[in-house]
Amino acid sequence: MSETQKQIIDRAEAVLLHTYNRYQIVLDHGEGMYLYDVDGNKYLDFYAGIAVHALGHNYPGLNDAIKSQLDKLVHTSNYYYNVPAVETAEKLTKIAHMDRVFFTNSGTEAIEGAIKMARKYAYRRDGSTDHEMIAMNHSFHGRTMGALSVTGNPHYQEAFQPLIGGVKFAEFNNLESVKALVTDKTCAILLEPVQGEGGIYPAEESFLKGLRQLCDEKDILLIFDEIQCGMGRTGEMFAWQRFGVEPDIMTVAKALGCGLPIGAFLCKEKAAALEAGDHGSTYGGNPLVCAAASKILDIFRQDHILDHVKEAGAYLYDQLEQLKNRHQDKIVDHRGVGLIQGLEFTGPVGPIIQRAMNKGLILISAEANTIRFLPPLIVEKTHIDEMIRILEQSI
Ligand SMILES: *Cc1c(COP(=O)(O)O)cnc(C)c1O
């Protein structure tokens, strides 16, 4: 590390709240699949800013679309209409098979909105105010109080009690464990179709189908959190589209703005219970972030991003499978689909990730023992080969 890089890190540690244990590099710019630090060191990007940079860095046309909106109008508030928001809403509802959308600035806010909508829906159904939600163990839905309350990880929750009440946790991929928690008060069942932070666990088709049937029978809303696994990562635009099991409400963020802060919750007409005065956001859906999202959705279609993910994802799967077979003493499991995959090791992966970083590869973990592979969706086979080579040297 250069003196300047060390100085910047020292300055950061003097003023930033210490909520992260950061890797000791200062990133400066990106190009395609690569990131560069302030000393000019090059890193192959296999984390994409935590599943955000779906199109890598500096994708042709995207920055121009953002810049032209930047010079026109950045913000309006939601007292007025703006064209980029309308366009993004039209495109997003169409590809998600949803009827309505509310724009937020982040993933956790999308979850807050989904929770409020489920409660309001149930309130309209029976007039009572003691509704319950069912979420999953090992889930992750965000850090604000509502999203934290449905995050099935006691470690994140402990110090912040009391959280919102009426939340129960079931076992992921275990339909009976969900059924056992349903009561007359249940208003929603919430889950990630592929659990991300919890270690890359894809939902089974029978589980999602069973949940859909259960929700239909009991008039419960099914909420899918697509914030990490959505936007093409599984090879479908949204992970539930692999199985055709439609939610009533879904959340999206991360790759929706490829780095500009935008999230959303979407719903079917029947679930659209929030009315004027029920919810709001000053920034949410401003023209700048929507100009980015609108362009990103166009690029996905025009440049056949999903076809590419299917092909690159299959190749990544084969390569990781072979790596696992070569290191059976250290690698215990390989999970995932498309470009959201994980390798579980016998012990903590932190040292492996650090060694890979020293050799010019950026990876991230999911839980202590799993390496998560979330490259930009534009990743090519040569990048996957390069990643495997560095990772194998780092194991
Ligand atoms: C990242 C994430 C969130 C929270 O999103 P933020 O933008 O960090 O608030 C919620 N759900 C899932 C599945 C996520 O991966």
Side-chain angles (χ1 to χ4, degrees):
M1 198 193 322
S2 72
E3 189 53 35
T4 35
Q5 194 148 195
K6 169 117 189 26
Q7 281 167 359
I8 297 167
I9 292 169
D10 288 345
R11 280 165 57 199
E13 290 305 329
V15 287
L16 295 176
L17 195 62
H18 201 112
T19 50
Y20 298 97
N21 290 315
R22 291 178 165 87
Y23 291 101
Q24 299 293 298
I25 51 178
V26 182
L27 292 171
D28 184 66
H29 64 280
E31 187 61 43
M33 282 291 300
Y34 293 91
L35 283 162
Y36 298 81
D37 68 19
V38 289
D39 294 336
N41 296 311
K42 183 177 178 181
Y43 302 90
L44 177 62
D45 179 1
F46 256 73
Y47 90 119
I50 321 182
V52 167
H53 290 295
L55 300 175
H57 306 279
N58 212 3
Y59 194 90
L62 177 55
N63 287 5
D64 291 336
I66 296 168
K67 283 174 196 162
S68 72
Q69 186 61 45
L70 183 64
D71 291 336
K72 272 171 82 178
L73 188 63
V74 171
H75 172 77
T76 56
S77 88
N78 283 296
Y79 288 155
Y80 308 93
Y81 300 92
N82 75 76
V83 173
V86 177
E87 285 177 357
T88 306
E90 285 172 349
K91 289 170 193 173
L92 202 54
T93 50
K94 184 158 174 254
I95 53 176
H97 305 180
M98 294 282 135
D99 297 312
R100 295 191 178 272
V101 56
F102 182 99
F103 291 115
T104 67
N105 313 289
S106 66
T108 200
E109 286 169 79
I111 296 290
E112 298 293 330
I115 293 171
K116 280 180 71 175
M117 196 143 74
R119 283 200 172 171
K120 179 82 190 287
Y121 177 87
Y123 174 77
R124 287 208 311 210
R125 184 181 72 193
D126 60 25
S128 61
T129 54
D130 56 354
H131 293 110
E132 299 169 352
M133 290 185 68
I134 299 172
M136 303 297 141
N137 286 324
H138 305 293
S139 59
F140 181 83
H141 299 293
R143 302 293 198 148
T144 52
M145 291 305 276
L148 187 62
S149 305
V150 291
T151 287
N153 186 333
H155 173 71
Y156 290 156
Q157 298 177 329
E158 175 81 22
F160 307 103
Q161 299 283 359
L163 301 172
I164 68 166
V167 181
K168 298 172 172 176
F169 291 95
E171 281 302 313
F172 194 68
N173 277 334
N174 181 339
L175 187 59
E176 292 311 313
S177 79
V178 180
K179 284 185 177 165
L181 298 178
V182 171
T183 71
D184 291 346
K185 294 176 182 172
T186 310
C187 68
I189 298 171
L190 165 66
L191 70 153
E192 300 153 83
V194 180
Q195 288 193 326
E197 305 292 317
I200 313 294
Y201 290 94
E204 285 158 18
E205 180 168 5
S206 59
F207 182 56
L208 295 186
K209 291 200 159 140
L211 289 179
R212 183 67 270 174
Q213 198 183 349
L214 179 65
C215 288
D216 289 343
E217 279 166 21
K218 310 260 183 192
D219 196 10
I220 295 167
L221 296 178
L222 184 59
I223 307 174
F224 286 164
D225 179 349
E226 290 270 349
I227 291 169
Q228 187 160 155
C229 62
M231 288 298 290
R233 209 148 261 290
T234 60
E236 300 296 333
M237 202 63 196
F238 298 105
W240 59 263
Q241 291 172 331
R242 289 203 302 145
F243 304 132
V245 179
E246 297 198 349
D248 302 297
I249 301 173
M250 61 172 265
T251 57
V252 52
K254 289 200 164 91
L256 178 60
C258 286
L260 270 73
I262 178 171
F265 60 98
L266 295 99
C267 66
K268 296 285 193 188
E269 194 66 55
K270 101 166 200 198
L274 293 175
E275 298 161 294
D278 279 344
H279 200 54
S281 168
T282 301
Y283 286 150
N286 83 38
L288 183 68
V289 295
C290 285
S294 178
K295 182 68 182 180
I296 289 160
L297 294 171
D298 289 346
I299 291 170
F300 265 79
R301 182 171 41 82
Q302 283 160 7
D303 294 356
H304 309 287
I305 300 293
L306 299 182
D307 293 340
H308 180 76
V309 172
K310 289 193 182 95
E311 207 187 311
Y315 186 75
L316 176 64
Y317 198 91
D318 284 348
Q319 296 307 306
L320 289 177
E321 204 59 21
Q322 288 176 28
L323 186 75
K324 182 184 129 201
N325 291 337
R326 291 198 293 274
H327 299 275
Q328 281 171 351
D329 53 327
K330 298 199 186 75
I331 301 173
V332 293
D333 200 12
H334 172 209
R335 298 181 290 268
V337 54
L339 294 173
I340 176 164
Q341 297 189 34
L343 276 186
E344 185 178 335
F345 286 71
T346 48
V349 294
I352 301 175
I353 290 176
Q354 184 60 59
R355 285 194 290 272
M357 182 166 296
N358 297 343
K359 297 176 200 293
L361 166 66
I362 299 191
L363 293 164
I364 47 170
S365 61
E367 300 272 280
N369 293 0
T370 299
I371 295 181
R372 233 184 320 179
F373 301 87
L374 300 169
L377 306 183
I378 56 165
V379 65
E380 298 286 347
K381 288 179 183 170
T382 54
H383 302 122
I384 294 172
D385 293 342
E386 184 184 349
M387 182 279 289
I388 294 280
R389 196 172 57 244
I390 299 176
L391 175 58
E392 191 152 24
Q393 291 166 4
S394 308
I395 291 176

